[in-house]
Amino acid sequence: MSNAATAAMPPAPTLPDWVRPAIEKFKRLELEYMASLPLPLKTLLGDGDPASFDSDKHHMRLYGSLAFVLLGVKPCALLAHGVSLPYTQGLVEAALLPVARDFDLQGHGFLVEKIQHRLLTDNPVHPGFQGAWVVANTRHSGYDLARRTFLTPAPGDAWATGAPAPPYNPRKPKPAPAAFRAAATIVTEAQIGAALGYPLPGGDATVRYIDNTESKELNTCCVPVFEAFCPGGMGDIMPVLQHFTCYERAWAALGRDLTLDSEGHPVLKMGMQVMQAELRGQGGGGAGGERGAPSRRGTARGGRR
């Protein structure tokens, strides 16, 4: 981050003394869990190539999603993986539950709960989130929406008595049987985005926030810690930048640098390039480092963040 950008940011908030150690412990346990995966699971997550999983694993890490919840800016985190429920459950048992226990997340106002019911989206080929886990900040203004979205089954949901979800093949996704969907809870993808704290839920553009500090420490292309779909119009840029600034400030409280990857949002990328050129012309330096730099996108990626 440039000196000019650092000076322009308000001071990072003071954290409770348990937050940073909790995040660091989850980070460590998540990486240890990934390293311990058996070869068949790495092969599955790497789309048939375990080496692909090893090279792209930093794209599917979820420590950032949990961190933003514990930092107070994100209403909830969703721990999910569309390809492998056993992977998610293993991560929860290896990393999330030990952190929740050791740092008394419940006592600090955080809910940790498994999605038991048949939670599907309005995308008919999406596998849904049954078996995923939610970490929610009960003091956040978005908590009620998060609970309604992820943890409240519809009256006709047959999760307790119905047949399990049909197998999901990511290479050939197909809709679940009509009878299964009729006895499920269906929420829109826009509502899911809102519950997860996206800046502008819905849309075809994508923005990612990158832990630039972690990327440099691990000498890897990038470590995404937040990813969101959003509209891609010119009038949608300012809410995204305001959202990023809020998350950037929270990340700075950890002593870490957050950058904005706008490769998936061409209009935002163009607008940021114009703003940076204007700042350079005024002698103001860059605006928070090189944001929107190209980054290789991995295939071994988890669910929503």
Side-chain angles (χ1 to χ4, degrees):
M1 183 178 297
S2 69
N3 292 335
T6 302
M9 285 183 63
T14 301
L15 297 179
D17 57 8
W18 62 270
V19 171
R20 188 195 301 259
I23 294 170
E24 290 297 327
K25 181 165 186 174
F26 185 90
K27 276 180 58 181
R28 175 176 58 81
L29 293 177
E30 183 179 33
L31 284 174
E32 290 176 357
Y33 170 67
M34 287 179 151
S36 72
L37 293 180
L39 184 61
L41 186 51
K42 285 187 176 183
T43 302
L44 174 65
L45 298 174
D47 197 23
D49 181 6
S52 177
F53 168 82
D54 288 330
S55 62
D56 292 340
K57 64 184 178 183
H58 297 299
H59 294 257
M60 60 183 288
R61 291 169 63 187
L62 294 175
Y63 77 93
S65 188
L66 175 66
F68 286 126
V69 175
L70 300 186
L71 289 167
V73 293
K74 196 175 193 296
C76 72
L78 179 64
L79 279 70
H81 197 291
V83 175
S84 175
L85 277 176
Y87 172 81
T88 300
Q89 186 63 32
L91 175 63
V92 168
E93 294 172 2
L96 177 60
L97 294 183
V99 168
R101 178 192 64 240
D102 294 348
F103 293 91
D104 188 20
L105 294 191
Q106 182 178 0
H108 290 297
F110 296 91
L111 175 76
V112 179
E113 191 167 322
K114 187 175 184 178
I115 299 174
Q116 301 283 2
H117 61 287
R118 293 175 169 180
L119 179 57
L120 301 178
T121 81
D122 56 350
N123 178 352
V125 299
H126 192 284
F129 297 109
Q130 186 175 21
W133 284 72
V134 173
V135 181
N137 182 352
T138 63
R139 298 186 177 96
H140 195 284
S141 61
Y143 170 71
D144 287 343
L145 176 61
R147 184 164 191 87
R148 290 198 310 272
T149 301
F150 295 117
L151 299 172
T152 306
D157 194 303
W159 67 273
T161 57
Y168 175 70
N169 183 349
R171 293 189 179 91
K172 295 181 179 179
K174 60 181 181 179
F180 183 87
R181 289 185 65 84
T185 300
I186 299 177
V187 295
T188 66
E189 293 202 331
Q191 180 177 332
I192 290 171
L196 289 171
Y198 287 10
L200 290 169
D204 296 326
T206 306
V207 293
R208 300 193 304 171
Y209 303 166
I210 307 298
D211 184 347
N212 197 42
T213 305
E214 187 83 354
S215 303
K216 291 179 178 178
E217 290 175 351
L218 297 177
N219 192 28
T220 188
C221 70
C222 56
V223 181
V225 289
F226 180 86
E227 182 173 5
F229 301 112
C230 59
M234 182 65 71
D236 305 312
I237 290 179
M238 191 53 64
V240 173
L241 293 178
Q242 291 170 341
H243 185 275
F244 171 76
T245 299
C246 175
Y247 277 52
E248 181 184 30
R249 182 169 176 260
W251 209 243
L254 298 175
R256 306 184 74 81
D257 182 27
L258 196 70
T259 56
L260 174 57
D261 172 13
S262 59
E263 279 296 299
H265 195 312
V267 174
L268 174 60
K269 180 179 180 180
M270 179 180 65
M272 290 171 61
Q273 290 172 340
V274 170
M275 287 188 290
Q276 289 173 346
E278 291 177 349
L279 283 171
R280 285 193 295 269
Q282 297 168 5
E290 181 61 28
R291 299 174 185 162
S295 58
R296 186 167 62 89
R297 297 179 181 271
T299 57
R301 293 169 61 187
R304 293 167 178 267
R305 299 177 184 274

